[in-house]
Amino acid sequence: MLAATIVFTAGGLTVGSLFKPPATSLGSAPESAVQIDATTGRPTGVVVPTPSRGLALAAADGSVWEISYSARTLFRIVTGSAGVADLHGVESKAPPVGIAVGPDSVWVTTAFGDDSLFRYDVRAGQWAQPVRLSSGLAGVAYGHNAVWVADKADDVVYRIDPLTGSVTAKIAVDEGPEAIAVDGDAVWVANAVQGTVSRIDPTTDRVTATIALRGTPTAIAAGLGAVYVVSEAASLMTRIDPATNASVETTFGIGPSDVAVSADGVWVSEGASGTLSRADPRTLARLSSFRLGGALDGVATDGRFVWVTRHVLPGVPQASSAVPRGGTLRVAIPYWGPNEALADENPRPESLDPQIGGGTLTTDEILRCCLLRTLVSYAGRPYDEGGADLRPDLASGLPTVSADGLVWTFRIRPGLHYGPPLQQREIVSQDFVRALERDARVGRSTAYSVIEGFDNAAAGRGTRTTIAGLQTPDAHTLVVHLTQITGDLPSRFALLESAPIPSSPIDPAAPYGVASGHDSGYGRFLVSSGPYMIEGSAGLDFSAPPGRQAPVSGLQPGRSLVLVRNPSWSAADDPLRPAYVTRMEFTIGVTNDDAASMLDDGRIDLILNGTPPPQVMPWLVDKFQADVHVHARDYQRAVEMNTAIPPFDDIHVRRAVNYILDKRALRDAHGGPMTGSVMTHYILDSLEGDALSGYDPYATPDEKGSILMARHEMSLSRYDPEHTGMCTAAVCKDLLAATIPIGQFGLFPRLYGGFPHLGAMIASDLGQIGITLNVQSTAAIAAMRNDPSKKLPLDLTLGLGPTSKTASDSFSFDFTSSAVGGSLVGATPDQLRDWGYGVKSVPNIDARIHECSQGGLRQSQCWTALDVYVMEHVVPVAPYLTENVVDVVPTRVVHYSYDQFSDAAALDQMALRPVAGS
């Protein structure tokens, strides 16, 4: 039992006297702090359950303090009381990112906002007034009668007087200071972006040495006459000798995430492996280790004990026995243009082909829920119910990674079989190689270019189509070799193009197995690995040559689709898909009006529509108000500014654009609060776990824009020489701006004027700061958006959305030098010259993207920090809207869920009310 007194104060939430009895076993709490005996290196048996996942720890004076990034809290464990604790909400909308303990104080840094350094007064039991520093802070440390704070965004370290809260020094360091440690003679700063350690002399507040590192530093600690740095991405630990600044390094474990020093040695938490190790402080040799399980984030020591935060991913909620099974789910898929191959009015052979016909909302959901399983996948739920948590699917667990981060190994669950007609065929490792080889040659994905040899196979280089970086040492092991460290590789194997393809029964050497000969479309010959199969699959005859094979009867592209049970599938072997209904019938290619009428009169149970919102007729929403489900779609709209074209080569102009937009009016013109919500930053909340849900760097009253704030920012620009708040230079006039054309299908243009209407509203807003636009909405102008040589100044209706459910997918697609987008962020001087631009440089964040791409337990926090950096220091976009998905679900459907992965209703989660007498 948990006894707690909860008090709401003006500043936030305080939970006092929170009694949490020690757990009797390490596995009893999903979130906990585990106590280790510093002498023996073994758990003492004290496991303190914590309210939320802990990020970092600090220990002093008989207490251990923990911050939770996700819950925005400060948590205290009084070590002598075996679990008596206090919980205090950090008085900020921003998540805490750093913690340090000083005399009678706990210091906490937060991820955004100028009020970003907080002091908890231990004696008074309350928060003091925050110290105003800067947005984008990282680590914090106490020593030499000062508080030292890393400003990752501005590449400086602040020295703070702990008594007055005033800044006494601002010290420039290398790019991306992340973590800080203090010893008797120096302050040591780990610079994550630059890959160095800066040594600061606290008597002069100057950097006296810079030590280069081979791996991206994750954490730093000082003690026992040395400084220790761990790199989670490179699995390295480095020892720096303060007497000489010389360093030695060694490979240490797999993914060390934090480090602390006690008299008994150097303690290293090994992140995702769940191992805590003790190392010799001089040789760095491992002295002992203990596997605690789960994931270990932070580690700290009070001398007698070592404490480590432990997180165990909750299991997928099991299908409820109370939810009825059986019945036929009837679904309508309206036609909304050529973007959706399955519903195109002109039947297309690539329908439901995972390599060439996927990538749309409706197709991806049908494949994920029903027809195909992948090595890893998602649970068919919204992100706030775990729908963005990657989980094993056909793999027996999440993949392991080598110490250098370049080799990933998947273990495939044995005994799983395909559906008819290949129900005797086991799913084996070579089937995944076959799928990726097909994707390289006939597919559209670039997600696997990081695999050694993938691009060569795609280009047809070499004598074979094989991908050198894929190895299958046995039937149940897939080894993936990369050309660069790619922390999000596991999520790429949730993409449906990686789903297994069985070998051909008549030609085992056929490069694409049963998909060979079906380069124009494999969907009508698809062999299922999921809970359903296309009706007629049992009649597929792969003993015939491909040209003589008859397709399944249950798929008529542009007209209909019928799914029936796959007899090879077992619920016991698939915890991700409850698959409640027995059969699904899809009516494809109907109009939106017909779909609404069919739902209204009971002929269907759901409308599955991948179009921009609204997806259903407003009158249907009004009629079925109690049965309407609204979820945030992983897609947003923004104004994209070309940073190589005046006046948008001036950051003050770009900031002024963010201030002037009436986002509330744009949302209303898009259909109102049901169809979308105002967006205030670059990365979607679902990819950041709501870490920036309270972040709005360009906040204006009621989200309606501010002429005063926009003109103040414009007055700082060189394009406002008279400082009037208006862009008066000639380059501010008659700028070409594109929107998505009026001819787009769906309800949005029909009901609300479509994207050209949004463009006209944005042009009116920008006119208030002196920027006049020539808005065009033709297909020709829209095509210019992806060609930097066309020199398009503005894209007013840019769509931003990830392919895989990681922020890395967005940054690498939009803002890197290898994939220059319409903002031109990341473009090199040579590229700018070749494209005919007058400027010689534009913002470049390649190094910061590289840091976050290294992966690790804190990669989500890294991407979140980069989101803040982009919005405040680069400003290539002005986001204004996140789209929603609206589902009208009649009462016949008794169980519903939203699938965050495909941004659609989770069809495997749908259950129907039993028909009387059935």
Side-chain angles (χ1 to χ4, degrees):
M1 296 293 291
L2 170 65
T5 303
I6 302 178
V7 181
F8 290 92
T9 65
L13 168 67
T14 298
V15 179
S17 300
L18 195 75
F19 294 94
K20 289 181 172 289
T24 57
S25 69
L26 291 178
S28 62
E31 313 295 347
S32 61
V34 181
Q35 186 189 72
I36 311 295
D37 187 300
T39 303
T40 66
R42 297 184 64 83
T44 64
V46 175
V47 179
V48 180
T50 55
S52 54
R53 182 172 184 173
L55 172 68
L57 297 167
D61 302 324
S63 293
V64 176
W65 298 86
E66 174 187 289
I67 52 171
S68 171
Y69 183 88
S70 58
R72 296 169 173 79
T73 55
L74 173 67
F75 184 66
R76 180 173 66 164
I77 303 168
V78 182
T79 59
S81 301
V84 179
D86 298 310
L87 177 67
H88 308 277
V90 177
E91 297 182 339
S92 172
K93 294 180 179 179
V97 292
I99 183 171
V101 177
D104 298 323
S105 299
V106 180
W107 298 88
V108 176
T109 51
T110 56
F112 63 81
D114 290 337
D115 290 338
S116 47
L117 176 63
F118 293 80
R119 182 177 75 87
Y120 182 77
D121 188 320
V122 177
R123 288 193 175 186
Q126 63 183 17
W127 294 98
Q129 287 295 314
V131 178
R132 191 171 182 84
L133 291 179
S134 180
S135 187
L137 300 187
V140 59
Y142 184 90
H144 300 284
N145 297 316
V147 181
W148 305 85
V149 179
D151 184 341
K152 188 174 183 179
D154 291 315
D155 305 328
V156 298
V157 169
Y158 297 103
R159 179 174 185 159
I160 310 296
D161 185 324
L163 298 179
T164 65
S166 58
V167 177
T168 60
K170 186 177 180 180
I171 307 158
V173 293
D174 277 355
E175 189 173 4
E178 180 77 36
I180 303 183
V182 181
D183 64 12
D185 299 311
V187 177
W188 302 86
V189 183
N191 304 302
V193 177
Q194 195 77 22
T196 60
V197 171
S198 298
R199 177 174 181 163
I200 298 174
D201 184 340
T203 62
T204 63
D205 295 330
R206 299 184 64 181
V207 174
T208 59
T210 300
I211 298 100
L213 302 172
R214 189 159 63 92
T216 300
T218 303
I220 189 169
L224 301 179
V227 177
Y228 303 90
V229 186
V230 294
S231 170
E232 186 174 9
S235 295
L236 293 174
M237 181 157 61
T238 301
R239 182 185 188 273
I240 300 173
D241 183 348
T244 63
N245 294 326
S247 64
V248 294
E249 70 176 32
T250 186
T251 299
F252 197 93
I254 300 294
S257 55
D258 204 0
V259 60
V261 182
S262 76
D264 298 283
V266 180
W267 299 89
V268 180
S269 58
E270 295 182 35
S273 73
T275 300
L276 180 69
S277 297
R278 177 172 54 176
D280 184 286
R282 295 196 62 81
T283 67
L284 304 184
R286 188 192 303 264
L287 299 177
S288 63
S289 63
F290 195 90
R291 181 166 174 77
L292 302 175
L296 308 183
D297 287 289
V299 62
T301 177
D302 58 8
R304 180 183 175 189
F305 298 111
V306 176
W307 290 83
V308 62
T309 64
R310 177 173 175 266
H311 165 73
V312 178
L313 182 66
V316 178
Q318 297 300 301
S320 173
S321 59
V323 177
R325 290 187 172 274
T328 298
L329 181 71
R330 302 160 303 166
V331 183
I333 303 178
Y335 169 67
W336 64 278
N339 287 334
E340 178 55 75
L342 182 62
D344 197 326
E345 58 189 359
N346 299 310
R348 292 162 59 178
E350 71 266 31
S351 298
L352 289 185
D353 186 314
Q355 277 80 39
I356 61 176
T360 61
L361 274 63
T362 51
T363 292
D364 277 3
E365 177 54 28
I366 292 169
L367 292 175
R368 181 215 63 86
C369 82
C370 307
L371 294 174
L372 296 178
R373 296 177 66 182
T374 44
L375 285 167
V376 291
S377 190
Y378 300 91
R381 294 175 179 269
Y383 75 91
D384 54 359
E385 296 179 15
D389 295 333
L390 193 67
R391 299 178 183 276
D393 191 2
L394 291 173
S396 58
L398 294 178
T400 58
V401 64
S402 62
D404 63 4
L406 293 175
V407 183
W408 292 80
T409 301
F410 292 88
R411 306 291 180 185
I412 299 161
R413 299 172 64 185
L416 301 180
H417 292 77
Y418 289 100
L422 301 179
Q423 60 268 39
Q424 303 302 319
R425 189 72 57 87
E426 185 182 13
I427 298 172
V428 295
S429 54
Q430 185 61 38
D431 301 347
F432 299 94
V433 175
R434 195 174 291 113
L436 293 184
E437 289 175 348
R438 183 173 190 264
D439 189 53
R441 295 306 298 271
V442 304
R444 302 171 179 173
S445 174
T446 59
Y448 306 106
S449 289
V450 294
I451 298 175
E452 183 182 333
F454 183 90
D455 287 344
N456 284 339
R461 291 189 287 266
T463 58
R464 299 188 62 194
T465 61
T466 54
I467 299 171
L470 298 177
Q471 296 178 347
T472 55
D474 59 58
H476 301 110
T477 304
L478 175 66
V479 180
V480 183
H481 295 260
L482 306 181
T483 59
Q484 62 191 55
I485 295 176
T486 306
D488 69 346
L489 184 87
S491 67
R492 303 187 189 201
F493 277 83
L495 297 177
L496 292 154
E497 48 262 51
S498 70
I501 299 175
S503 62
S504 167
I506 60 170
D507 183 7
Y512 311 137
V514 297
S516 296
H518 300 297
D519 289 358
S520 62
Y522 167 54
R524 298 187 71 187
F525 304 88
L526 186 144
V527 178
S528 172
S529 53
Y532 301 92
M533 62 184 186
I534 303 173
E535 189 173 53
S537 292
L540 288 169
D541 181 8
F542 292 112
S543 65
R548 296 175 57 187
Q549 294 171 11
V552 291
S553 58
L555 171 58
Q556 301 296 323
R559 294 174 53 195
S560 65
L561 170 67
V562 178
L563 303 183
V564 297
R565 281 283 185 202
N566 172 7
S568 298
W569 178 85
S570 168
D573 295 325
D574 187 354
L576 300 183
R577 301 168 184 83
Y580 291 113
V581 301
T582 301
R583 179 183 176 94
M584 298 184 191
E585 297 177 351
F586 298 82
T587 303
I588 300 173
V590 297
T591 67
N592 287 288
D593 295 278
D594 287 342
S597 296
M598 293 169 71
L599 186 70
D600 185 35
D601 62 24
R603 285 178 286 163
I604 60 171
D605 307 302
L606 180 73
I607 298 172
L608 194 65
N609 194 347
T611 183
Q615 292 87 9
V616 295
M617 295 294 291
W619 67 261
L620 199 63
V621 173
D622 293 338
K623 183 172 182 176
F624 288 82
Q625 289 185 19
D627 304 307
V628 175
H629 297 261
V630 180
H631 290 90
R633 176 187 181 189
D634 284 347
Y635 211 77
Q636 64 164 301
R637 298 291 168 186
V639 175
E640 182 177 50
M641 297 165 275
N642 188 329
T643 60
I645 292 181
F648 303 111
D649 59 342
D650 188 320
I651 194 171
H652 296 293
V653 175
R654 302 196 298 270
R655 288 172 177 162
V657 170
N658 274 273
Y659 278 124
I660 199 61
L661 291 182
D662 186 340
K663 298 181 180 181
R664 180 70 64 87
L666 290 169
R667 183 206 64 184
D668 291 344
H670 191 265
M674 181 166 287
T675 63
S677 57
V678 167
M679 188 62 180
T680 60
H681 55 97
Y682 166 63
I683 293 295
L684 296 150
D685 287 336
S686 66
L687 305 184
E688 297 177 331
D690 281 333
L692 297 187
S693 59
Y695 175 61
D696 188 354
Y698 303 100
T700 61
D702 298 322
E703 302 169 324
K704 293 182 177 181
S706 169
I707 295 177
L708 182 65
M709 299 169 78
R711 288 183 176 175
H712 170 73
E713 191 67 44
M714 183 62 76
S715 70
L716 304 176
S717 164
R718 63 181 180 273
Y719 296 109
D720 179 12
E722 301 299 323
H723 308 295
T724 62
M726 299 291 284
C727 197
T728 55
V731 294
C732 304
K733 311 304 177 185
D734 199 34
L735 289 162
L736 184 62
T739 78
I740 294 174
I742 186 65
Q744 289 294 301
F745 297 88
L747 290 172
F748 178 42
R750 169 182 164 186
L751 299 177
Y752 302 108
F755 295 105
H757 179 52
L758 297 185
M761 296 175 66
I762 294 169
S764 177
D765 288 342
L766 268 58
Q768 298 179 85
I769 52 175
I771 299 174
T772 62
L773 303 183
N774 172 16
V775 180
Q776 296 190 24
S777 303
T778 64
I781 200 72
M784 294 173 56
R785 297 180 300 165
N786 298 319
D787 186 348
S789 68
K790 299 300 183 182
K791 302 185 184 67
L792 180 67
L794 288 172
D795 182 352
L796 304 182
T797 56
L798 174 70
L800 295 169
T803 300
S804 60
K805 294 304 177 185
T806 61
S808 60
D809 186 71
S810 296
F811 280 105
S812 61
F813 184 80
D814 294 329
F815 299 134
T816 60
S817 56
S818 60
V820 177
S823 70
L824 266 71
V825 168
T828 65
D830 288 345
Q831 287 174 320
L832 293 170
R833 183 190 64 248
D834 292 344
W835 291 327
Y837 286 93
V839 300
K840 298 185 182 301
S841 66
V842 291
N844 188 301
I845 58 172
D846 280 3
R848 291 180 183 261
I849 291 175
H850 174 75
E851 179 219 344
C852 297
S853 297
Q854 305 298 291
L857 290 182
R858 300 182 188 179
Q859 65 174 315
S860 178
Q861 287 96 297
C862 187
W863 293 120
T864 299
L866 186 51
D867 190 355
V868 172
Y869 182 85
V870 164
M871 287 304 303
E872 298 183 26
H873 292 261
V874 184
V875 204
V877 293
Y880 54 85
L881 179 77
T882 296
E883 296 180 351
N884 288 340
V885 172
V886 181
D887 286 322
V888 176
V889 182
T891 56
R892 182 173 179 246
V893 177
V894 297
H895 192 273
Y896 164 91
S897 182
Y898 176 74
D899 178 14
Q900 199 73 50
F901 171 74
S902 64
D903 289 328
L907 299 178
D908 57 303
Q909 297 277 352
M910 307 289 275
L912 303 173
R913 189 182 309 280
V915 178
S918 63

